[in-house]
Amino acid sequence: MRLHLQLAIKRLFDIVSALVGLILGAPLFLLFAVLVRLESPGPHFFRQLRSGRRGRAFFMFKFRTMYQGAPHLRNPDGSAFVGRHDARVTRLGTFLREFSLDELPQFFNVLRGDMSLIGPRPETTEYTAELPEWARAKLQMRPGCLSLGLIHGRNELPWKERNELDVFYVQNYSLLLDLKIFFLGVWTMLVTRRGVYSPERLRTKTTPSTLTPSLMPESQRASASISAPILGNDV
């Protein structure tokens, strides 16, 4: 099947999937939105500038899983730090992240055409500026909610390896590859939950003072300790 026809089918699948997901998921959206606000001050959604197709910036949406004002932390290889027992993350946020439910609002991005259901994972605009030339090939397609990186270990993978998988996806695109990523991706998120957190080998200690303790529950302020070396923008 010709590439342009495969891409047309892919976009149609995106639109139908996003509409179905938004309609059927409406009760969950309402429930999570209320719970996010009840647990900690701040907006329901977290939005962040990401790089889309051809590098066009767009706001990607997630349910907020961190305390308002918590800093973004990076691993030594430049990838985002996602820690187990992370004091920046709310109790509800931990549950949402564990099952990737915080990413449900990305159906809005898919419907708008910012993202695809399957594709390379979208980088922040800051990360995109740091991409080596060979990795910028990933910008030839819409970024996706599900990706090759997801089914191969996501946060367990070094940033370079994630980019290599994204480039492989773009260079070897087919609807069959999308189907494989879709089913294995759903299995990974809801069953195995592999790669939710950064591996221990990437972590180093930083001080609790970086965590905006006034925004955290009293029980967490004294014990707040986050493993990661570099400060940046929110996740």
Side-chain angles (χ1 to χ4, degrees), residues 46-62:
F46 166 70
R47 68 174 196 167
Q48 186 180 51
L49 270 178
R50 298 289 181 113
S51 296
R53 189 180 180 194
R54 301 191 183 97
R56 183 181 64 85
F58 69 95
F59 280 109
M60 188 183 78
F61 298 99
K62 291 185 177 185

Side-chain angles (χ1 to χ4, degrees), residues 111-213:
L111 191 61
R112 289 171 48 178
D114 300 324
M115 297 177 64
S116 176
L117 195 64
I118 299 139
R121 278 302 292 170
E123 302 284 6
T124 64
T125 51
E126 292 86 356
Y127 281 26
T128 301
E130 299 172 13
L131 286 174
E133 192 59 37
W134 63 266
R136 298 186 70 83
K138 65 190 287 182
L139 301 175
Q140 293 174 15
M141 295 187 71
R142 287 187 181 94
C145 305
L146 309 177
S147 67
L148 272 177
L150 167 67
I151 65 176
H152 284 89
R154 46 180 164 177
N155 291 312
E156 293 178 357
L157 300 176
W159 192 33
K160 181 176 183 292
E161 191 171 340
R162 295 183 223 176
N163 284 322
E164 289 172 346
L165 288 168
D166 285 340
V167 172
F168 177 89
Y169 172 84
V170 171
Q171 294 177 343
N172 297 273
Y173 176 73
S174 70
L175 287 175
L176 187 60
L177 180 58
D178 268 1
L179 284 174
K180 174 184 176 182
I181 293 171
F182 177 79
F183 288 111
L184 290 178
V186 172
W187 179 262
T188 298
M189 290 189 300
L190 300 181
V191 181
T192 69
R193 305 200 297 280
R194 178 189 174 193
V196 173
Y197 306 107
S198 300
E200 292 289 340
R201 59 183 168 77
L202 289 180
R203 303 181 187 180
T204 59
K205 292 290 184 182
T206 188
T207 62
S209 62
T210 62
L211 303 179
T212 320

